[in-house]
Structure formats: structure tokens, C-alpha cells
Amino acid sequence: MAAVSSLSFSAIGQTSGDRKLNVSSARHLSSNFEGFRFRTSCLYHSVGLRASTAASALVVHCMSTGTDVPPTVSETKAGFLKAYNRPIPSVYNTVLQELIVQQHLMRYKKTYRYDPVFALGFVTVYDQLMEGYPSDEDREAIFQAYINALKEDPQQYRADAQKLEEWGRAQTSTSLVEFSSRDGEVEVILKDIAERAGGKGSFSYSRFFAVGLFRLLELANATEPTVLEKLCAALNINKRSVDRDLDVYRNLLSKLVQAKELLKEYVEREKKKREERSESPAANEAVKKCLGEYQYLS
């Protein structure tokens, strides 16, 4: 099983508002997210209002229909750009824009309910994507703006991801899949997921959830193929879906690494060109000075 933490995706570019870096790999990255797209449905409900008057025995029933309409994808993206309005390097921006579309569709599905494994999966993807970003402060500010645009709590995402990571490091292949027989904060979280996924509540599987499971396996050094199968069974999750989604995730990581290398080469070439251009005027001045001194001596 590949180790997520062994890959990084740093790159330099510019956003759509500035000059864009024309690297073909950046376009390929967004195509990898096609498999991450989800359908969503609006939530509709009708509210019955009953009005009665004490002055008469007549009871008046008034029925009105309300519509709880979630924000559009455009509104979510606009909220993100408003919260973080500084330029974002193009390769990062390309993937972030795709991610926020996917997560918007997940977020506003009728069956969606936040859970810490989902949070761990998203934080894992985000941190891998943004590793090597020019500024640590900006990287965290982008994270805050992203989650807030989805009307969720970025602090909760970070706290839950950290909680599960600490728990995962303390597990073994056996203890990881036997969570239902033990008591503990994370064990309660996993039991709740298993109950909801088993049909006793609202549960919406997603690829971020699959990545969260993968991260737990990695932290527990549970590399045996059978461990994932047992964990999925314990959580009432379809393993075939998890396998498929992890393949998409690994492919995405590979594309991002390739893009990083291409952009690194581009930045080095541009830096070299700038240095050569800055050296040329100095060289010309030196030549002129030497020629002037030669003419004076002559």
C-alpha cells in the first residue's frame, strides 16, 4: 500500500486574474477530478401552519410550502474567493477550484452528515496538495476560507483530523478493526458511522471518507490487504467502492507530483533567464568602462 505522506505537490504559478502558467499537466490534473463529482439534490419541505381563534369554534388550517434551497456552486466559490482574495498559484488554484465544486456537491446532498473520518480524508488531501506552498500562513488561510465557504467549521476539521491521527498511530492491524469491542472517543465515532452506514441513520459515503480510512491504515502500519477488507466490513462500507476511489486518489497524487516537477523546471529556467538579463546591463557597463579607459590611455 502506497504511503500518502511520501508524496508532495509544491509548485509555482499564478491565478486566473494574473498571468497563467501554461503547463499542460495542470489541465490534466483537473480531469482527474471528474471521478470525484457527485450529484446533489435540493431539500424541500412543506410546513403546516395551524391557526385557531378562541372567539369561535372554527379552526382554520393554513398550509404553506417553503423551500430550503442550498447555495449554488457559484455562490460557494464566490464565498471562497471573497474570504481569500489573494492570488493563488495556478496549479494549486486549478485543483482547489475542482475540489470545492466536488465538496459542495457532497456537502449539500440530502443524506450528508459531517463525520470525523470524512474530515481526516479531506485534511489529508488538502495537506498533500498544498505541501510546498510558498507561504505556510497563506496555506492555512486558504484552508479556513475553503471550509468556511462550505458553511462548516475549519477548526473542527483540524481538531477531528488530529484526534483520529493520534488514535490511528496507537493502533495495530488487529485493534483497528476491532473498535466495536472497545470504549473510547474515536471508537464511539466509528460505531456511530457503522450504525448509520448499516441503515440505521443518515450516511453519505464519499471519496474523502475512503481517503480517511486509507490514512488510518497508514498510521497504524496496517499494510496487509485483508485489513482494509475487515475495516470496511466493520464499518458496513462497500470495499469495492473504497478500492476504486483509492485508485483515483493515487492517480491524482501521481499527476500532482508530475506537475510539481514540470513547474519546478519552469521556475528554474525563468530564474536563470532573469539572472542573465540582470547581468547583461552590468556587463555592458563594464565593457564601456574598459573601452573608455583604453581610449583615454591611447
Side-chain angles (χ1 to χ4, degrees):
M1 185 176 294
V4 176
S5 59
S6 65
L7 300 173
S8 62
F9 328 116
S10 61
I12 303 295
Q14 288 186 318
T15 54
S16 57
D18 301 275
R19 282 187 307 118
K20 283 196 174 182
L21 186 61
N22 293 320
V23 179
S24 60
S25 188
R27 291 192 297 270
H28 295 326
L29 290 179
S30 93
S31 66
N32 278 277
F33 284 95
E34 293 299 325
F36 274 67
R37 298 185 183 279
F38 292 82
R39 294 179 180 177
T40 188
S41 61
C42 295
L43 304 178
Y44 297 97
H45 67 278
S46 58
V47 181
L49 300 177
R50 173 173 295 182
S52 63
T53 172
S56 74
L58 178 63
V59 178
V60 180
H61 296 278
C62 299
M63 298 297 294
S64 66
T65 301
T67 306
D68 186 10
V69 181
T72 64
V73 172
S74 296
E75 288 170 341
T76 296
K77 292 175 74 173
F80 169 63
L81 295 174
K82 182 179 180 181
Y84 187 86
N85 55 14
R86 298 182 61 185
I88 300 175
S90 61
V91 166
Y92 295 107
N93 193 47
T94 297
V95 181
L96 281 171
Q97 292 299 322
E98 288 290 338
L99 276 177
I100 203 166
V101 171
Q102 299 159 25
Q103 197 161 347
H104 171 97
L105 298 178
M106 298 176 201
R107 167 74 175 84
Y108 292 105
K109 285 182 69 174
K110 187 175 182 179
T111 56
Y112 174 79
R113 177 176 163 182
Y114 170 89
D115 71 64
V117 176
F118 176 94
L120 174 62
F122 174 75
V123 169
T124 298
V125 172
Y126 181 85
D127 287 347
Q128 287 291 305
L129 165 64
M130 302 297 283
E131 185 177 349
Y133 197 79
S135 166
D136 291 342
E137 183 179 348
D138 287 342
R139 180 170 61 235
E140 186 58 28
I142 292 169
F143 179 85
Q144 298 275 333
Y146 181 105
I147 300 299
N148 282 325
L150 291 160
K151 303 187 185 306
E152 292 192 309
D153 185 355
Q155 281 74 33
Q156 183 180 23
Y157 268 74
R158 286 291 186 193
D160 285 342
Q162 182 178 357
K163 183 191 306 176
L164 263 66
E165 285 182 342
E166 291 173 354
W167 181 83
R169 291 188 184 97
Q171 303 309 305
T172 64
S173 298
T174 302
S175 65
L176 185 66
V177 300
E178 294 180 352
F179 62 85
S180 62
S181 64
R182 304 195 313 274
D183 294 325
E185 187 177 4
V186 174
E187 284 82 358
V188 170
I189 290 170
L190 297 178
K191 289 176 188 177
D192 176 64
I193 290 172
E195 288 182 5
R196 290 188 288 113
K200 296 181 180 180
S202 179
F203 177 78
S204 179
Y205 169 81
S206 72
R207 286 179 169 88
F208 288 132
F209 185 91
V211 175
L213 292 184
F214 180 82
R215 181 64 174 150
L216 287 176
L217 293 173
E218 181 191 39
L219 292 167
N221 292 316
T223 57
E224 302 87 349
T226 56
V227 180
L228 176 60
E229 182 176 358
K230 291 177 181 178
L231 182 58
C232 288
L235 289 167
N236 296 313
I237 304 297
N238 188 321
K239 182 178 179 293
R240 292 180 63 184
S241 298
V242 174
D243 286 336
R244 181 191 63 236
D245 294 337
L246 291 179
D247 285 340
V248 173
Y249 176 57
R250 294 187 189 102
N251 187 45
L252 170 64
L253 297 184
S254 177
K255 292 293 184 182
L256 287 169
V257 170
Q258 293 173 27
K260 173 188 174 180
E261 292 302 318
L262 287 173
L263 288 170
K264 182 179 179 181
E265 293 173 5
Y266 172 86
V267 170
E268 289 175 350
R269 286 197 306 269
E270 290 299 304
K271 182 179 178 181
K272 186 177 181 180
K273 288 178 182 178
R274 287 195 299 269
E275 290 174 349
E276 290 173 349
R277 286 195 295 268
S278 64
E279 289 173 356
S280 295
N284 291 336
E285 289 298 323
V287 170
K288 290 178 182 179
K289 184 177 180 181
C290 289
L291 288 174
E293 291 176 352
Y294 175 77
Q295 292 170 358
Y296 176 77
L297 293 173
S298 299

